[in-house]
Amino acid sequence: MEGWRGAWYVPCLASLETLQELCRKENLTCKSIGITNRSLKSYEVEYLCDYKVEEGTEYYLVKWKGWPESSNTWEPQKNLKCPLLLQNFLSDKNEYLSRVREGRALKVRNHIKALNPAVADYIVKKAKQRIALQRWKEELNRKKNHKAMILVENTVDLEGPPLDFYYINEYKPAPGINVINGITTGCECTDCPAEKCCPKEAGFVLAYNKRKKLKIQPGLPIYECNSFCRCGPDCPNRIVQKGTPYSLCIFRTNNGRGWGVKTLQKIKTNSFVMEYVGEVITSEEAERRGQLYDSQGNTYLFDLDYDSDEFTVDAARYGNVSHFVNHSCDPNLQVFNVFIDNLDLRLPRIALFSTRTIKAGEELTFDYQMKGSLDLTSDSADGLSPSRKRIRTVCKCGAVCCRGYLN
């Protein structure tokens, strides 16, 4: 089109290695992705695919980083300088054999020892999964806005990163919903716990003690100091807004509950652990989506029912680590409503606090039927997946007090 001076920019979803493979396959150079005339023929082991012994020499089939699989070559072990990849190869081989209970990994044909093709196929899939999970971990840590690390682990199956999940740090409002009400004033305190701070202005007590641990009962709201308050970032009434202080691991559970989250650090009682975020949608839209989620056995809808039931948080596609936290009928996390830069009672932020000491390595859970409002007497299935009786999802939490269903 004449006179058109603009350009369309579309983000590339292919990995760096995939783009490098295309360049090398077509014998093209591209400095922006590291393919120059000098590096066009460089070789680095990405993973090992297969194994054989010929005439007493051990060989491994090598997938070269940034090269298409058609360029894989058999290399003698003595030429390989990748001890970790060799260790991964042997570990994956032994893992497969222990699962299928095959007696031997090797079989002899024409004096050539070789891996069973099924074993080699599993090793390749496991190597690709390991790379995909590493990239996902790096992506999560790029996008998070808190200092603590997020790790990813799957020692259970070949499941890779979720294909339709996008990490966010705060609510993503649907069109027409305003999650920031334009608050323009804050407290004038120089010592927030001792003066008439934000909670007292709202008619409630300060939620935290001097050790920055929760001191209020479930059902009561938390009012933190906001961006217009006089106090600084070290104010003891600024906890949830700083994000999770603990390094966490998204891991694959071994009892059919999919992904879960465990803490890598000890968490003391009444400590803030994480915030539950996602898309903020109307309750009408939540009811429509809930029918689909119920049929899939998924539960990601959290009713914002502190003051009314107008809005719901949907963490199915957009969310943070809390997206992967499993349900338990005997949880170690408790839900609290939090107000910071938005005092609209219909739109509280949802924070999860520890109900007891949680050991490093222990899975984090909360009750999907747990209510964050002052109405603690209702026996309806509110909270996540609100009172939908169409399809009941079986609970697999394993708690002694398990109710049998998530909804």
Side-chain angles (χ1 to χ4, degrees):
M1 180 185 299
E2 279 190 47
W4 173 250
R5 297 177 180 272
W8 288 99
Y9 292 94
V10 179
C12 182
L13 301 180
S15 67
L16 177 64
E17 287 77 15
T18 299
L19 296 175
Q20 291 175 338
E21 288 177 13
L22 291 172
C23 281
R24 288 192 170 108
K25 187 175 181 180
E26 301 297 331
N27 201 35
L28 300 172
T29 60
C30 181
K31 291 183 179 180
S32 63
I33 62 172
I35 299 297
T36 62
N37 287 324
R38 177 177 295 182
S39 66
L40 194 59
K41 297 298 181 181
S42 63
Y43 293 88
E44 177 186 349
V45 179
E46 185 171 19
Y47 57 86
L48 304 174
C49 310
D50 206 344
Y51 169 88
K52 67 181 180 181
V53 178
E54 288 184 340
E55 298 179 356
T57 301
E58 294 181 294
Y59 291 88
Y60 287 87
L61 183 60
V62 175
K63 165 65 171 69
W64 300 104
K65 190 173 184 179
W67 289 84
E69 293 184 0
S70 58
S71 300
N72 291 2
T73 59
W74 287 96
E75 301 293 333
Q77 180 176 346
K78 64 179 182 180
N79 291 352
L80 299 178
K81 308 299 181 184
C82 51
L84 179 58
L85 295 180
L86 282 166
Q87 180 181 335
N88 289 339
F89 182 92
L90 296 175
S91 175
D92 293 341
K93 180 194 73 173
N94 293 334
E95 179 184 327
Y96 178 87
L97 295 176
S98 66
R99 289 183 179 181
V100 298
R101 297 182 180 178
E102 290 182 1
R104 300 172 63 193
L106 303 177
K107 55 185 179 181
V108 179
R109 288 181 179 176
N110 300 326
H111 307 291
I112 298 176
K113 293 181 179 180
L115 281 182
N116 182 308
V119 181
D121 180 64
Y122 175 81
I123 289 172
V124 171
K125 289 179 179 178
K126 196 67 180 177
K128 290 181 177 180
Q129 178 204 49
R130 189 175 288 113
I131 292 170
L133 291 179
Q134 175 64 24
R135 289 174 181 161
W136 186 38
K137 185 193 80 171
E138 294 170 355
E139 177 188 355
L140 294 175
N141 283 283
R142 281 196 307 270
K143 291 183 176 180
K144 68 177 176 60
N145 64 355
H146 56 269
K147 293 181 179 179
M149 291 295 295
I150 302 174
L151 274 68
V152 178
E153 174 186 288
N154 186 352
T155 61
V156 175
D157 54 30
L158 292 171
E159 186 74 15
L163 298 178
D164 194 26
F165 174 74
Y166 306 92
Y167 193 94
I168 57 176
N169 293 293
E170 55 190 20
Y171 282 162
K172 178 182 174 62
I177 299 176
N178 181 19
V179 297
I180 299 295
N181 71 351
I183 189 170
T184 57
T185 60
C187 70
E188 298 293 327
C189 305
T190 56
D191 183 7
C192 288
E195 301 180 45
K196 192 175 181 181
C197 193
C198 298
K200 293 182 180 178
E201 290 288 351
F204 295 93
V205 299
L206 187 75
Y208 312 113
N209 60 25
K210 292 182 179 180
R211 293 178 290 111
K212 300 184 179 181
K213 298 295 184 288
L214 199 67
K215 67 178 184 180
I216 62 173
Q217 294 299 312
L220 292 175
I222 297 172
Y223 282 85
E224 289 196 0
C225 292
N226 60 58
S227 54
F228 286 90
C229 290
R230 183 177 178 181
C231 55
D234 294 328
C235 168
N237 194 34
R238 296 181 185 273
I239 303 295
V240 172
Q241 59 194 264
K242 292 183 178 180
T244 179
Y246 304 102
S247 291
L248 306 174
C249 178
I250 301 171
F251 75 104
R252 195 71 176 169
T253 62
N254 58 9
N255 59 355
R257 291 178 300 127
W259 294 101
V261 179
K262 60 184 176 182
T263 177
L264 300 177
Q265 301 172 253
K266 178 181 176 181
I267 300 176
K268 294 182 179 180
T269 308
N270 295 327
S271 298
F272 170 65
V273 179
M274 70 180 75
E275 194 172 348
Y276 193 91
V277 301
E279 291 182 87
V280 179
I281 58 178
T282 64
S283 295
E284 291 78 10
E285 173 63 12
E287 181 65 25
R288 186 188 69 80
R289 296 186 187 186
Q291 296 181 28
L292 173 63
Y293 297 159
D294 287 347
S295 66
Q296 297 173 341
N298 296 327
T299 310
Y300 295 109
L301 298 175
F302 198 119
D303 288 345
L304 299 180
D305 57 358
Y306 173 73
D307 183 65
S308 64
D309 59 356
E310 291 184 48
F311 302 111
T312 296
V313 177
D314 181 6
R317 296 186 68 209
Y318 298 91
N320 60 5
V321 176
S322 65
H323 166 98
F324 302 97
V325 175
N326 281 313
H327 161 85
S328 175
C329 297
D330 184 21
N332 51 25
L333 300 179
Q334 168 76 43
V335 174
F336 283 83
N337 291 285
V338 185
F339 299 93
I340 306 174
D341 282 314
N342 186 359
L343 301 181
D344 187 340
L345 297 182
R346 301 172 303 164
L347 291 165
R349 290 164 66 165
I350 303 301
L352 301 174
F353 285 78
S354 59
T355 60
R356 57 173 173 78
T357 298
I358 305 173
K359 299 177 182 178
E362 187 176 347
E363 182 176 0
L364 301 174
T365 58
F366 72 100
D367 190 339
Y368 284 6
Q369 294 186 24
M370 189 180 292
K371 294 179 68 66
S373 69
L374 290 169
D375 175 16
L376 300 175
T377 60
S378 173
D379 60 357
S380 66
D382 288 339
L384 279 170
S385 193
S387 61
R388 296 184 183 89
K389 304 295 185 179
R390 292 182 294 273
I391 300 176
R392 303 201 73 185
T393 303
V394 176
C395 179
K396 300 178 182 178
C397 75
V400 175
C401 59
C402 180
R403 297 186 296 266
Y405 295 93
L406 295 184
N407 51 357

